[in-house]
Amino acid sequence: MKTAVRYYSRSGSTKRLADAIAAKFGVIAETIDVPLPESVDVLFLGGAVYERSKIDDHLKSFIETLTHDQVKQIVAYSCSNWKMSIQKQIKKALTDENIDVLDEGIALRGQFYFINKGRPTEQECAEAAEYAKQLVGNKD
């Protein structure tokens, strides 16, 4: 199973989670600025919910470019002050309706200025990465 991890992070919280998930799958977490080099079975896609409960426009633009030829399935993960998932926003932003967005995802609290300082913790990231592995199973 080919897996990739991409993220958009303003504060670094989502990057910490991305790195933990990527390590679990033996890949490198990359920002959304790095194109997918080949098609993947599963794309772990991370970001946060910001103002007015929306994802960042950069992440939205990246999602709009994805095709089923590149990505078969997306697993959403996020870090935000409110522990909100970005799954609905991903589904809404997709222009290719043939890409499957897994109903389950990962949402952790992330640091927002001085709120939730130090979140997500290393332990939270490790547990979330283990859960990510369970979500997609062992389809190798």
Side-chain angles (χ1 to χ4, degrees), residues 36-54:
L36 294 170
E38 59 186 359
S39 65
V40 295
D41 299 305
V42 178
L43 172 62
F44 284 91
L45 186 56
V49 177
Y50 296 108
E51 303 87 29
R52 297 180 302 278
S53 299
K54 294 186 179 185

Side-chain angles (χ1 to χ4, degrees), residues 65-83:
T65 68
L66 297 175
T67 66
H68 189 256
D69 290 337
Q70 294 173 295
V71 177
K72 304 303 179 222
Q73 183 177 64
I74 294 175
V75 178
Y77 65 94
S78 60
C79 293
S80 70
N81 179 40
W82 308 280
K83 196 177 175 181

